[in-house]
Amino acid sequence: MPKLQGATLWKGRSRLNGAPIKVVVTGLSRPSENPKTGPQLQVWILPRGLPVTAVRTGTDASVCGECPHRPTKGGSCYVSTHRAPQTIARAYGRGRYPVVRPREARRLLAGRSVRLGAWGDPAAVPARVWRSLLGTAKSHTGYSHSWKGRPDLRGLVMASVDSPEERDRARAAGFRTFRVSLDGAPGPGEIVCPASAEAGFRTDCNRCGLCDGSRGPNDRRASIVIKAHGSASKVGALARWAISV
Ligand code: SF4
């Protein structure tokens, strides 16, 4: 098979609402230029149809669940769906990302660091699928706003939390956490993301790999906090959301 830039790793029903979704990986032959992630493979969890339409109509629930940052819920999500997600969904529609069998998928991910959910929540995909796909990967990172009632995700992803209180609830449920805050100040058991501007861009996710979930009750690694970033309008939306709850 010629060298692929991307491939479709899985198609199935969303664990969040049962709608059809697919998992596409990119960066196989040309590394991502995202300075925060470094050359991680980027995994996109895509709904039926185009992302821009999905976030406008709310059908993004199949890949984003009840995340409070969805545009139809107030809109502070940092992902610009009209950019990469839209481009990738269009390319998928043109057949640019062939569906590969599980064995080939594991070969494509072998030895690489993988970012789960460049857009979309990894909770939309069965945990057993992730475990199978990641069996050959070097490392991975992932974040989920749909961690409540999902202990199967503890060893795979960080619980995305929006307040110290939610952080404490997620930790009590056995998760490590990733918290976006307006001031970026770490609380108990948290460190500032070393790839952040406030930490001086000391590394990237490809090298750091701290955000890979919990290895169990004896995992003493810190949880992560990062200052809200992105466009002024998105930071403003986060601020409005934070004071409205
Ligand atoms: S803590 Fe490490 S893995 Fe997590 S977001 Fe920051 S750089 Fe990436």
Side-chain angles (χ1 to χ4, degrees):
M1 185 181 287
K3 206 156 192 198
L4 296 170
Q5 170 58 8
T8 304
L9 302 177
W10 182 80
K11 292 169 78 172
R13 297 270 168 189
S14 168
R15 275 218 53 179
L16 297 171
N17 73 354
I21 60 171
K22 56 258 182 189
V23 172
V24 169
V25 64
T26 60
L28 292 170
S29 55
R30 193 174 58 249
S32 163
E33 292 175 1
N34 182 326
K36 180 167 177 296
T37 66
Q40 283 188 298
L41 296 180
Q42 307 286 320
V43 170
W44 311 83
I45 305 159
L46 299 172
R48 174 187 272 170
L50 292 174
V52 165
T53 310
V55 297
R56 197 180 62 239
T57 61
T59 56
D60 58 339
S62 63
V63 295
C64 296
E66 293 306 309
C67 175
H69 302 296
R70 285 170 57 205
T72 49
K73 287 180 170 282
S76 68
C77 178
Y78 72 94
V79 179
S80 300
T81 43
H82 63 286
R83 295 179 189 267
Q86 188 83 347
T87 302
I88 287 158
R90 285 191 191 282
Y92 170 87
R94 292 194 303 272
R96 175 125 185 252
Y97 305 127
V99 180
V100 294
R101 293 176 182 274
R103 190 171 165 183
E104 174 65 3
R106 287 192 292 274
R107 191 190 69 75
L108 293 173
L109 270 48
R112 304 289 299 269
S113 181
V114 183
R115 178 191 184 197
L116 305 183
W119 184 54
D121 190 317
V125 178
R128 64 176 167 72
V129 171
W130 290 130
R131 289 189 201 292
S132 168
L133 289 172
L134 293 170
T136 54
K138 175 183 79 170
S139 61
H140 75 276
T141 59
Y143 313 86
S144 176
H145 263 100
S146 299
W147 55 269
K148 291 178 191 134
R150 292 290 303 274
D152 55 317
L153 298 175
R154 283 192 298 230
L156 274 172
V157 298
M158 308 293 277
S160 285
V161 297
D162 297 299
S163 68
E165 295 75 24
E166 195 183 9
R167 172 198 65 206
D168 294 346
R169 284 197 295 277
R171 284 214 201 130
F175 283 86
R176 291 174 61 236
T177 59
F178 186 92
R179 184 167 66 91
V180 180
S181 85
L182 290 173
D183 65 8
E190 290 176 327
I191 60 168
V192 175
C193 166
S196 64
E198 57 272 26
F201 304 114
R202 292 204 308 275
T203 187
D204 58 38
C205 299
N206 187 63
R207 283 182 283 166
C208 169
L210 257 181
C211 291
D212 63 354
S214 169
R215 295 173 187 163
N218 294 326
D219 189 345
R220 301 281 175 239
R221 292 177 301 160
S223 288
I224 310 297
V225 66
I226 194 168
K227 193 171 178 183
H229 59 282
S231 68
S233 64
K234 292 201 173 192
V235 173
L238 178 61
R240 287 192 297 280
W241 178 82
I243 59 175
S244 71
V245 293

